[in-house]
Amino acid sequence: MYNKITKIAIAFIIIMGMQSCDDYLEVLPEGQENSENYFNTPQDYQDALIGVYDLLSTTYLNNILGEIASDNSLCGGENPTDVLDWQQIDDMIHTADNGALRNVFQWMYAGISRANYIIEFQDNVNFDGKEQLLAENLFLRSYYYFELVKFFGDVPLYTDGRITIEETQAIDRTPKADVYAQLEVDLMNAIPNLPWTQAQNGRVTKGAAWALLGKIYLYQEKFTEAAQAFNEVINSGQYQLVQNFNTIFLNNNENNEESVFEVQYFGGEGAGFGCFQCVEGNIAVGFMGPRFRGGNFAPYTSGFSFNVPVQDVVDLYQTGDTRLEATVLDIDAFVAARPDVIYNEGSEHTGYFNLKYIPYAEANLQDVNLTHSNNYRAIRYADVLLMAAEANLRAPSPIANPQTFLDAIRDRAFGNTNNRIPATLENVLAERRRELAGEGHRFFDQVRTGQTSTIPGFTTGKNELFPIPRIEIELAGNRWQQNPGY
């Protein structure tokens, strides 16, 4: 996300269990920090907070899996065994030994542990701006926990300090209702201390916290509370829809007026396949591009042909809907206009690619497929409007007019007011699919709204959740029960 600060390296200690101090030399090697005595200045807290933000880069995996697991796309790749973990999730034959799911579990808890590191030592130093820093930290921890609950349901809840091996062997999985209750409290505590705008792109704002809180309410079917939270974002006047949908996902239009929360990526640092959690670029982007071999395919660059949209997605869009050409790259149409372009078809080739997160040619280093700077638009204002429309439709007593929100989305999509449709729940959910296709929300939307019948291989009563990684259960002393069906 941000360029790594050398000093932050100490924060990585928190990912591992801490042994007794007696196991270490009393005198640390020169240049090595003692994690127990780290927080002595305001800058120490700022550096540690950047370490918490840094794990947002790993959510690239959550986002691509949210599409591959849905009915929006096929896994793709070079062949049917290319990144087998993803292929299994696409086919709904994944098991508790799936490596991608273990990465999600580990990386989200790494972010939580880093956040808890700050909480553990939050009283060491008082300084101006501390309340805002702690509020940003609570948002980030809530974001990571929300991702875990979406994937796994009940998960162990750690709130007071770094996650140690001893704790994992002494704590049970917490019911997701209790996890959600903690996130509600944390976000309500954070919101008063967050600003509406930040000088640095990607920093947490009041609007981001209200939007995440509304989404957490929505996932619990607390529709009145969700509508109220989204109303705070809408009535703030801080956000508006980008006029031209085709420009939202361009690399030169990041952190625009529609961005409520955006994960920042950096394409110039370089990376390698040995440590995906170390990467500063958006890894998912490089995996989703066509396999170009030659010709003038600028401004794009080659990728690994994963997460290929299916024909049903293309067929969703009516004539005149500008979102289609900004969502899906039709490779046949592209080559027809540039006959010199040569590409290899990948596995499960559909002829379509995710244009929202297509790789652009950049001056990146080492493996160019891993270092793309395309930011992830985690929460867009359009998403908030559609969630607000849904919440108001499903609330016992709506507090806002859902038709207004749906009209705004449709008017932008068509560039006129002639394509408005009634704000029914069915229409709003269908509009979410059209508006947000390719952005990683689809599978979780399908699960929470009971629209999973169109997911190939989906087994009701099982695939609503992913399995807790087997090795994590074993490391916890086999005290955690597995999700049903696995």
Side-chain angles (χ1 to χ4, degrees), residues 85-372:
D85 291 333
W86 296 6
Q87 303 281 356
Q88 291 172 346
I89 290 171
D90 181 29
D91 296 333
M92 289 288 144
I93 58 172
H94 49 273
T95 70
D97 297 312
N98 186 282
L101 296 175
R102 190 187 182 203
N103 283 339
V104 171
F105 192 91
Q106 287 183 305
W107 294 343
M108 295 306 97
Y109 270 117
I112 290 164
S113 194
R114 293 186 188 188
N116 283 353
Y117 184 37
I118 293 175
I119 291 171
E120 183 178 347
F121 294 97
Q122 64 184 336
D123 296 326
N124 272 28
V125 180
N126 290 318
F127 54 91
D128 290 340
K130 180 179 176 181
E131 292 81 4
Q132 180 179 317
L133 182 146
L134 295 177
E136 291 182 44
N137 190 52
L138 280 178
F139 171 93
L140 293 171
R141 188 176 73 172
S142 299
Y143 190 92
Y144 294 132
Y145 265 126
F146 182 52
E147 290 296 309
L148 284 169
V149 173
K150 285 195 311 181
F151 272 84
F152 304 108
D154 302 346
V155 293
L157 180 64
Y158 309 89
T159 59
D160 298 327
R162 289 162 291 176
I163 301 171
T164 65
I165 293 174
E166 290 78 13
E167 276 189 298
T168 63
Q169 295 177 341
I171 189 171
D172 294 321
R173 293 175 65 187
T174 303
K176 68 177 183 180
D178 294 341
V179 179
Y180 278 141
Q182 181 67 52
L183 305 190
E184 292 171 17
V185 169
D186 287 348
L187 289 168
M188 288 302 295
N189 286 335
I191 284 168
N193 295 312
L194 289 168
W196 281 106
T197 61
Q198 291 268 29
Q200 186 177 24
N201 288 332
R203 290 275 188 173
V204 177
T205 63
K206 196 183 296 289
W210 275 119
L212 180 59
L213 179 59
K215 196 168 187 177
I216 287 168
Y217 285 139
L218 190 66
Y219 270 63
Q220 299 176 83
E221 299 189 351
K222 295 181 177 180
F223 300 121
T224 298
E225 294 90 337
Q228 291 168 341
F230 296 135
N231 233 30
E232 295 287 342
V233 182
I234 294 166
N235 292 340
S236 72
Q238 296 292 323
Y239 309 99
Q240 59 183 329
L241 297 177
V242 171
Q243 186 174 4
N244 184 350
F245 190 93
N246 291 327
T247 68
I248 295 174
F249 295 91
L250 297 179
N251 275 15
N252 61 1
N253 196 28
E254 295 175 326
N255 302 299
N256 55 54
E257 62 268 31
E258 190 166 331
S259 177
V260 179
F261 186 61
E262 191 161 318
V263 177
Q264 312 294 301
Y265 283 102
F266 179 60
E269 183 172 318
F273 278 82
C275 184
F276 277 0
Q277 67 268 39
C278 306
V279 175
E280 296 298 310
N282 190 337
I283 294 176
V285 169
F287 274 82
M288 290 191 284
R291 293 175 175 267
F292 290 122
R293 289 198 297 120
N296 177 21
F297 44 82
Y300 312 128
T301 190
S302 189
F304 295 142
S305 67
F306 283 90
N307 191 27
V308 289
V310 298
Q311 185 66 46
D312 282 351
V313 170
V314 177
D315 294 342
L316 292 172
Y317 299 91
Q318 298 170 251
T319 301
D321 191 332
T322 61
R323 292 174 296 190
L324 175 58
E325 64 180 25
T327 300
V328 175
L329 174 68
D330 183 331
I331 192 65
D332 292 333
F334 184 77
V335 172
R338 303 188 188 190
D340 64 317
V341 171
I342 304 171
Y343 73 97
N344 288 339
E345 290 188 5
S347 179
E348 300 181 304
H349 179 72
T350 64
Y352 303 115
F353 295 90
N354 184 357
L355 188 55
K356 288 180 176 177
Y357 290 105
I358 197 167
Y360 287 88
E362 299 180 73
N364 41 21
L365 305 172
Q366 291 180 278
D367 194 298
V368 297
N369 291 100
L370 303 183
T371 54
H372 291 287

